Amino acid sequence: MKKFVIIAFVAVAGLFSVNAMAQSKVAHINAQALVGAMPEAKKAETDLQTFAQGLEAEGKTMVDEYTKKMKEFDEKAASMTENMKEIKGREIQDAQKRIQDYRDQAEQKVQGKQQELLKPIYDKARKAIEDVAKEKGYGYVIDSSAGLLLVSPAADDLLPAVKAKLGIK
């Protein structure tokens, strides 16, 4: 008898959860396409490229210095004493390490700048998606930009509505 009550309870609970899910509307949107269409994203990309080019110019100076030291070492290696070769070799290794460290730091700076520039854009897009979903009565919105959405009816694509809300053509 106790098992029958538990089974009946689970069955009734399952029916209610299926009924609740049937009432929730689901939509999808390609968030990457939305962000890519936003004018702010294009400006952020330009700003990021300018920032990266500035860092690259600084790195080029270090590489030029390294190249000069290598060329100098190759030209004068035959006339150098072993002690001088060792000292110059350490200088070259130090220059290599500085270049690698600079590249690592520059990469981190670029990633940090990218996050700094894109965060307000993502926040604006997310708010617009949330607003449109609320206006249209959707309980769930799935991001289809990852390519994981296998089946989706065209009527439930929020991209055109969100673009309209943001004033994007």
Side-chain angles (χ1 to χ4, degrees), residues 72-83:
E72 185 179 300
F73 181 79
D74 288 342
E75 290 172 354
K76 297 180 181 179
S79 63
M80 287 184 184
T81 65
E82 288 302 314
N83 193 25

Side-chain angles (χ1 to χ4, degrees), residues 8-168:
F9 177 74
V10 170
V12 171
L15 288 174
F16 282 121
S17 66
V18 169
N19 191 21
M21 285 180 62
Q23 293 174 355
S24 296
K25 290 174 65 178
V26 178
H28 64 90
I29 187 167
N30 186 331
Q32 287 301 103
L34 173 65
V35 170
M38 295 173 71
E40 298 96 326
K42 292 175 179 117
K43 183 184 179 323
E45 183 64 31
T46 302
D47 292 349
L48 186 63
Q49 285 177 351
T50 302
F51 180 75
Q53 288 171 351
L55 292 174
E56 189 176 315
E58 290 178 37
K60 186 177 180 332
T61 303
M62 296 173 82
V63 170
D64 291 344
E65 176 189 328
Y66 169 77
T67 305
K68 180 182 169 187
K69 285 183 180 186
M70 283 296 295
K71 184 178 178 185
E72 185 179 300
F73 181 79
D74 288 342
E75 290 172 354
K76 297 180 181 179
S79 63
M80 287 184 184
T81 65
E82 288 302 314
N83 193 25
M84 284 299 290
K85 285 180 184 179
E86 189 177 315
I87 291 170
K88 291 291 183 183
R90 274 192 245 129
E91 286 178 9
I92 291 170
Q93 287 176 345
D94 289 346
Q96 283 177 326
K97 183 169 178 5
R98 281 195 309 273
I99 290 169
Q100 187 59 45
D101 290 346
Y102 181 79
R103 285 182 178 160
D104 293 343
Q105 290 173 357
E107 187 176 318
Q108 290 174 353
K109 286 179 182 179
V110 168
Q111 288 174 352
K113 186 72 166 178
Q114 182 179 29
Q115 289 175 351
E116 174 189 322
L117 291 171
L118 292 179
K119 184 178 181 340
I121 297 167
Y122 287 141
D123 290 346
K124 182 177 180 181
R126 182 176 183 90
K127 175 145 179 35
I129 292 168
E130 289 171 357
D131 291 347
V132 169
K134 188 175 182 180
E135 289 169 10
K136 297 192 176 270
Y138 289 101
Y140 299 94
V141 178
I142 300 168
D143 184 1
S144 63
S145 61
L148 298 176
L149 192 59
L150 300 177
V151 177
S152 63
D156 289 343
D157 185 4
L158 290 183
L159 186 60
V162 175
K163 278 184 166 181
K165 181 161 189 77
L166 291 172
I168 301 170

